[in-house]
Amino acid sequence: MYDLKCGQKNCKYNHGYCCCAKDIAVSSGTFCTTYSKSENADNMTEASVEFTKPDNSVDTAVCCNAPCLFNHSTRCIANGITVSTADDGSAECLTFIKK
């Protein structure tokens, strides 16, 4: 999947709001379990991710365990997904549509 937007600004795979991980996993609770806090996240400013050049060339495989309309045999078949920060600070899939 090339269209994987990430609003989790302090994730080490987030480059200009694009996820650059080779693959990610979404839990049954719709959380991105691949999220990993950047080592220099504490030194980042609020706008630093916005100034990073997006990398739309990464074809990310999305393994999904959520009861979602786009989950086909644990593989996300959506054209793209958006991951953002949940209320508790974790990374959550916003594209989730309950079956």
Side-chain angles (χ1 to χ4, degrees), residues 60-97:
T60 304
V62 180
C63 175
C64 181
N65 291 301
C68 180
L69 180 68
F70 300 114
N71 181 345
H72 184 70
S73 300
T74 69
R75 187 176 144 263
C76 181
I77 60 168
N79 290 332
I81 66 171
T82 300
V83 173
S84 191
T85 307
D87 292 337
D88 65 359
S90 60
E92 183 174 23
C93 179
L94 298 181
T95 309
F96 170 76
I97 299 174

Side-chain angles (χ1 to χ4, degrees), residues 17-93:
Y17 291 102
C18 294
C19 180
C20 292
K22 290 179 114 182
D23 49 53
I24 69 166
V26 177
S27 72
S28 60
T30 71
F31 296 102
C32 175
T33 59
T34 308
Y35 162 72
S36 181
K37 188 174 179 180
S38 176
E39 290 178 16
N40 60 356
D42 295 331
N43 297 329
M44 293 174 66
T45 64
E46 182 71 23
S48 64
V49 174
E50 295 167 9
F51 297 127
T52 306
K53 183 180 177 196
D55 184 358
N56 297 313
S57 65
V58 178
D59 187 10
T60 304
V62 180
C63 175
C64 181
N65 291 301
C68 180
L69 180 68
F70 300 114
N71 181 345
H72 184 70
S73 300
T74 69
R75 187 176 144 263
C76 181
I77 60 168
N79 290 332
I81 66 171
T82 300
V83 173
S84 191
T85 307
D87 292 337
D88 65 359
S90 60
E92 183 174 23
C93 179

